[in-house]
Amino acid sequence: MSMIELKGVGRVFRTSEVETIALENVNISVEGGEFVAVMGPSGCGKSTLLNIMGLLDRPTEGEVILKGKPTGSLSDREAAAFRNRTVGFVFQSFHLIPSLNVLQNVEMPLLYCGMSEGKRHERARQLLEQVGMSHRLRHLPSQLSGGQSQRVAIARAMACNPDVLLADEPTGNLDSHMSTEIMQLLLNLNRQEGRTIVMVTHNEEQARQANRIIRFFDGRQVE
């Protein structure tokens, strides 16, 4: 089954003075359990593509079908609820909450999943153990390295057990050693747990480890 389908998707950003075409006539199908890498120069629409796939943004035209469900008619509240159940996000800059410790950061999405406090603690601890961060539960983000922060961010993205992980340059702020470790963690989630992953990257070597590569240029899918 196709986990993500984009049909004729376009996204235009307009101001009173200028119109910018971020995406134009994008047609993509991502199967369940697939690992897809998205590549292209900066400013070509890759992050906009992920935001639309993950229902953080709506297309100007075209249709987004997620897990077999057309999403165009969903209200903002319905889209948010569906997104929280279905999609996890991993960002280049981690986006951890500075005032919360590691355990609390991973627990945060579980508040929106309606999970009890005891189950939130248990689930977060399990995920942090899975990503090798169980020894840092009480540390704040400022006390972590980049690689450790990204591990916590991946655990947080997995909190509500999503079918899809959308990763936007997940190794972009890391050195080569940590980049390899984070990439291996994502590959394990895909190959061992069957998570569908779409990853934006500038790293050709990492992209080649995916099932396939989709290339963009000036908002258009070129390969």
Side-chain angles (χ1 to χ4, degrees):
M1 180 186 81
S2 291
M3 189 63 67
I4 305 169
E5 286 186 82
L6 271 57
K7 297 182 177 181
V9 162
R11 182 67 171 100
V12 179
F13 294 97
R14 294 185 176 94
T15 69
S16 59
E17 298 179 353
V18 68
E19 178 177 280
T20 303
I21 298 175
L23 294 175
E24 184 176 359
N25 193 31
V26 175
N27 295 279
I28 291 175
S29 179
V30 179
E31 297 299 311
E34 198 175 12
F35 193 141
V36 174
V38 179
M39 300 194 75
S42 296
C44 72
K46 303 186 300 299
S47 294
T48 300
L49 176 75
L50 283 199
N51 289 341
I52 287 174
M53 283 183 170
L55 308 185
L56 289 175
D57 191 12
R58 294 180 184 268
T60 308
E61 60 184 10
E63 186 175 17
V64 179
I65 302 170
L66 189 58
K67 205 178 174 181
K69 182 181 181 67
T71 62
S73 62
L74 296 179
S75 68
D76 289 345
R77 176 174 289 186
E78 290 169 336
F82 186 46
R83 177 176 64 243
N84 290 341
R85 295 192 306 269
T86 309
V87 182
F89 293 90
V90 181
F91 302 99
Q92 178 177 350
S93 299
F94 322 130
H95 291 189
L96 300 178
I97 300 173
S99 60
L100 300 183
N101 65 32
V102 164
L103 185 65
Q104 292 166 334
N105 264 282
V106 177
E107 285 184 9
M108 182 59 65
L110 297 171
L111 288 169
Y112 304 104
C113 296
M115 192 175 288
S116 68
E117 183 178 0
K119 289 185 177 179
R120 290 200 305 268
H121 285 317
E122 181 181 359
R123 173 69 175 161
R125 286 176 179 271
Q126 288 173 347
L127 288 165
L128 286 164
E129 182 174 357
Q130 183 178 352
V131 300
M133 287 297 293
S134 58
H135 62 302
R136 298 278 188 170
L137 301 182
R138 305 301 174 186
H139 286 67
L140 294 172
S142 61
Q143 298 171 305
L144 305 178
S145 69
Q148 290 171 336
S149 294
Q150 196 61 291
R151 287 177 178 273
V152 175
I154 291 172
R156 181 187 57 189
M158 294 296 298
C160 293
N161 199 29
D163 299 288
V164 178
L165 279 182
L166 301 178
D168 194 355
E169 294 280 3
T171 65
N173 284 341
L174 306 179
D175 62 31
S176 59
H177 175 71
M178 281 299 156
S179 293
T180 299
E181 288 194 3
I182 294 301
M183 186 64 192
Q184 189 57 55
L185 181 56
L186 292 173
L187 287 168
N188 289 343
L189 290 171
N190 171 250
R191 295 171 181 174
Q192 297 176 13
E193 298 188 11
R195 306 287 174 182
T196 306
I197 298 177
V198 180
M199 179 184 71
V200 165
T201 182
H202 282 101
N203 188 311
E204 189 79 37
E205 181 181 350
Q206 290 180 358
R208 286 198 297 268
Q209 296 179 69
N211 298 124
R212 62 187 168 109
I213 301 172
I214 298 173
R215 299 184 190 272
F216 274 78
F217 187 78
D218 285 350
R220 297 180 179 180
Q221 180 182 347
V222 295
E223 180 182 327

